[in-house]
Amino acid sequence: MGKLYNAIFSAGVAFVLACLMIGVKLNTDGTTLQVTGASTEQWAWIIGGIALVFFSQIFADQIDTAFGKIPKPTVSHFLPEGDKMAQLKPWLMAGVFVCMVIWPFMVSRGSVDLATLALIYIMLGLGLNIVVGLAGLLDLGYVAFYAVGAYTYALLSQYFDMSFWICLPISAGMAALFGFILGFPVLRLRGDYLAIVTLGFGEIIRILLNNWTAVTGGPNGISGIDKPALFGLEFTRRSKDGATLFHEYFGIDYSSSYKVIFLYLIAVVLVAFVIFVINRLMRMPIGRAWEALREDEIACRSLGLNRTAIKLSAFTIGASTAGFAGSFFAARQGFISPESFTFIESAIILAIVVLGGMGSQIGVILAAIIMTILPELAREFSEYRMLLFGLTMVLMMRWRPQGLVPMKRPVLELK
Amino acid sequence: MSQLLLDVNGLTMQFGGLVAVNKVNLTVKNRQIVSVIGPNGAGKTTVFNCLSGFYIPTAGSVMFKGKEIAGMKDFQISRQGLVRTFQHVRLFSNMTVIENMLVAQHRHLNTGLLAGLFKTPSYRRLEQEAMDRAIFWLKEVDLLDSANRESGNLSYGQQRRLEIARCMVTQPELLMLDEPAAGLNPNETKELDELIIKLRDEHEISILLIEHDMGLVMGISDHIYVIAQGTPLADGNADDIKNNPDVIKAYLGES
Ligand SMILES: Nc1ncnc2c1ncn2[C@@H]1O[C@H](COP(=O)(O)OP(=O)(O)OP(=O)(O)O)[C@@H](O)[C@H]1O
Ligand SMILES: [Mg+2]
């Protein structure tokens, strides 16, 4: 009986929400508002959806058992044993890296461009993974640091004509500074407060960028941001200020795909750098302290660990990674506006971390690739993107809460 | 005065209307084992929480090595050389035994970002020293064979010993143990007894002990404090306490 009640209640809620969101539309007709109903086809969808909610509630138990029967994929089956794995790993990494470098020369420009985007999300995912996965701090405004990085490069490049390579560390530093300033008072708070404050911070930064028109150009954003150059060689067709051009220097015809491939290669190097740093961090005292703090904060305090400082370090390092990704993003796009840094972006990055498996680098990389490539492949479904996105999250939570590839910590062993 | 390691005066801790600790005085000298006993809920753990900075005492002073530490932050106090264990074991249970030992030495390591990324000589040296200290203390508590095991998988007695080793590796001068014998079998209790005496005699530290196992307390304590309902009841050596009518009454209940 309880089940039937549940099902009716859920269907009712679904009906109300669907009616409000899809069923009626407000159109402006001159100065008056007109309410129009949905088309028959849309109503069919709505009713179908409600029926789905109703029956999934009634058969919840059966669905659960059915899910339980699906064998859980274990990646470890496909991988060789521990010892062999350790020997193979450097070779494997080198192989992957070489493939990543050769690959863009064999595929279309569009694919390379998409891969570059995926690499940006990998960077962001890895950065947020430090904060959420390794240090256990829920940051809902991560995109703010991404924005700080992007705008730092855009502004420095526009007002002071500074090159990408100089701005890259400056952007990371700037984002780290923001992380530090925000984290210092906030990290003393309990977890839930941190989530709320970071959420607010993300919005504040976006609104600030939107309204500080004199400097940031407001909603119009900043355009014509310089692309990175290779040892001073630029990738544009014609030289703006007499700088040497890449294709002239090598005496080859101009092609815009050089630029795309070059950007992709920079992204590969940046991601490799981030992975290297995080891998070292996890084996360093600070990485161990993050883990320890996540396990037992009270024990940490009793052993003389300053928890605020340790959390702050994770928060700051995570922020600097976003700054890194941000300045590269600005350079790749050539145009940025506050539109690129909305809350939904934070949510996507967080989803990448959760989907991949908190703390797990391979998982986060996989999830970032999936999250960037799938929407591109399924363009027709773009309207339902958020819906599918939500559905995946629900299924993951239900079925595999530890993420695609659960975290495996590098364990220090005594020989 | 200078020979007092810990000197607690009029320590009071109030939670709303409840006075959990009421004007407790306590002194610990160098190389002494001092015990605090009392019935359940007497406020013993609360005293520890005040001394170690987890609670800020409502009133009273806590002098450690001649310096006021009441009101200091918990991590600062433990850096002064006063560390504690917990009534319920608190290990980093997903980490290995050796990792537990290294986390405890966090502040003795080179935690600089660049030093760690580039593995500078100073970083390596400090890491090695920490490793050596960890091995030394694991040997002392007979856990070296389990160094690579996940600490959550150790037996209860081993976990208790690891918690003590993890404190010792921070090089404290006063070790506070909150019911270290709880849940141990008689054999393990005897080993613990020997370990505590060894810490005092060989490693020259002082120990403040909370314990319900009267055999253990009476056997090893240089001085014993009894508190009941947060208030000091008696103090003295084992014989004084055993024959004190107030103490007997507090333990056996009014009748
Ligand atoms: N944070 C707190 N807030 C409110 N009351 C507390 C708090 N901590 C302890 N108390 C109260 O203080 C009193 C003393 O508790 P405490 O844990 O110190 O006793 P104990 O002597 O360690 O007992 P046991 O032998 O059972 O461990 C108890 O009545 C307890 O409820
Ligand atoms: Mg207690």
Side-chain angles (χ1 to χ4, degrees), chain A residues 188 276-278 280-281 283-289 291-293 295-307 310 317 409-415, chain B residues 54 74-75 78-79 83-84 86 90 92-96 98-99 102-104 106-107 109-113 116-117 119 123 127 131 135 144 147-148 166 170:
Chain A
R188 290 156 200 275
F276 164 76
V277 170
I278 295 177
R280 290 261 359 118
L281 280 173
R283 291 170 171 81
M284 276 159 56
I286 193 69
R288 282 197 298 260
E291 167 83 13
L293 208 58
E295 286 207 18
D296 197 327
E297 199 170 305
I298 290 180
C300 281
R301 283 157 59 191
S302 81
L303 293 167
L305 274 71
N306 180 348
R307 64 182 157 154
I310 291 168
I317 293 172
R409 219 164 39 82
V411 180
L412 185 108
E413 300 234 313
L414 189 69
K415 260 98 159 180
Chain B
F54 279 84
D74 38 36
F75 69 89
S78 87
R79 288 177 186 191
V83 293
R84 64 170 298 183
F86 295 88
R90 286 187 171 274
F92 307 119
S93 41
N94 287 326
M95 302 175 92
T96 61
I98 191 86
E99 283 174 325
L102 289 179
V103 169
H106 188 73
R107 75 197 167 88
L109 294 169
N110 186 343
T111 48
L113 207 58
L117 285 183
K119 288 193 186 170
Y123 172 83
E127 194 88 349
M131 201 60 140
I135 292 172
L144 195 55
N148 291 336
R166 197 179 63 177
T170 67

Side-chain angles (χ1 to χ4, degrees), chain B residues 136-165:
Chain B
F136 173 81
W137 279 106
L138 286 180
K139 239 186 235 152
E140 288 293 276
V141 300
D142 193 23
L143 276 176
L144 195 55
D145 294 337
S146 311
N148 291 336
R149 280 176 63 191
E150 222 170 74
S151 63
N153 295 339
L154 298 177
S155 76
Y156 192 72
Q158 288 175 319
Q159 294 194 6
R160 283 271 181 210
R161 293 210 302 275
L162 174 57
E163 211 186 8
I164 293 176

Side-chain angles (χ1 to χ4, degrees), chain A residues 59-285:
Chain A
F59 296 113
D61 290 344
Q62 286 88 328
I63 292 173
D64 267 6
T65 43
F67 264 120
K69 278 194 199 117
I70 301 176
K72 297 193 174 170
T74 39
V75 184
S76 50
H77 276 316
F78 307 109
L79 298 175
E81 284 306 308
D83 282 352
K84 260 198 208 152
M85 193 62 199
Q87 273 181 12
L88 276 175
K89 213 172 170 194
W91 294 104
L92 213 68
M93 297 281 270
V96 169
F97 190 77
V98 169
C99 289
M100 298 272 292
V101 170
I102 297 175
W103 177 78
F105 295 97
M106 306 191 290
V107 294
S108 75
R109 221 188 104 167
S111 310
V112 178
D113 211 33
L114 185 60
T116 314
L117 189 66
L119 286 166
I120 293 180
Y121 277 101
I122 291 177
M123 250 187 280
L124 289 169
L126 289 173
L128 186 61
N129 195 24
I130 300 177
V131 184
V132 180
L134 298 182
L137 306 166
L138 185 52
D139 182 350
L140 294 180
Y142 192 61
V143 78
F145 305 118
Y146 185 39
V148 167
Y151 270 88
T152 303
Y153 172 53
L155 293 173
L156 286 179
S157 152
Q158 190 157 66
Y159 289 102
F160 302 102
D161 212 21
M162 284 163 76
S163 90
F164 171 74
W165 296 106
I166 297 174
C167 290
L168 191 65
I170 298 180
S171 301
M174 206 56 188
L177 184 69
F178 271 74
F180 185 83
I181 293 172
L182 175 70
F184 197 69
V186 168
L187 288 173
R188 290 156 200 275
L189 304 176
R190 269 218 337 266
D192 356 359
Y193 295 108
L194 179 68
I196 295 167
V197 172
T198 50
L199 180 71
F201 179 70
E203 283 303 287
I204 289 172
I205 290 286
R206 191 179 58 81
I207 292 168
L208 183 80
L209 294 174
N210 230 332
N211 290 293
W212 198 8
T213 324
V215 176
T216 64
N220 295 332
I222 300 174
S223 55
I225 304 166
D226 285 339
K227 297 268 187 261
L230 176 69
F231 300 114
L233 300 177
E234 291 187 2
F235 284 84
T236 43
R237 181 184 290 277
R238 259 176 284 282
S239 180
K240 257 193 305 183
D241 39 18
T244 327
L245 298 179
F246 177 79
H247 63 279
E248 283 174 353
Y249 185 83
F250 285 100
I252 43 179
D253 287 336
Y254 172 76
S255 156
S256 62
S257 52
Y258 294 147
K259 183 182 73 191
V260 176
I261 293 177
F262 179 58
L263 281 169
Y264 165 84
L265 291 177
I266 294 179
V268 170
V269 171
L270 290 182
V271 166
F273 174 72
V274 169
I275 292 178
F276 164 76
V277 170
I278 295 177
N279 259 307
R280 290 261 359 118
L281 280 173
M282 282 166 75
R283 291 170 171 81
M284 276 159 56

Side-chain angles (χ1 to χ4, degrees), chain B residues 13-16 18-21 37-49 55 87-88 178-179 210 212 227 230:
Chain B
M13 184 75 218
Q14 228 170 322
F15 298 107
L18 175 84
V19 184
V21 174
I37 61 171
N40 288 107
K44 304 178 297 291
T45 301
T46 309
V47 169
F48 266 31
N49 282 335
Y55 296 156
Q87 190 164 347
H88 303 285
D178 195 345
E179 302 195 19
I210 294 178
H212 282 299
I227 50 178

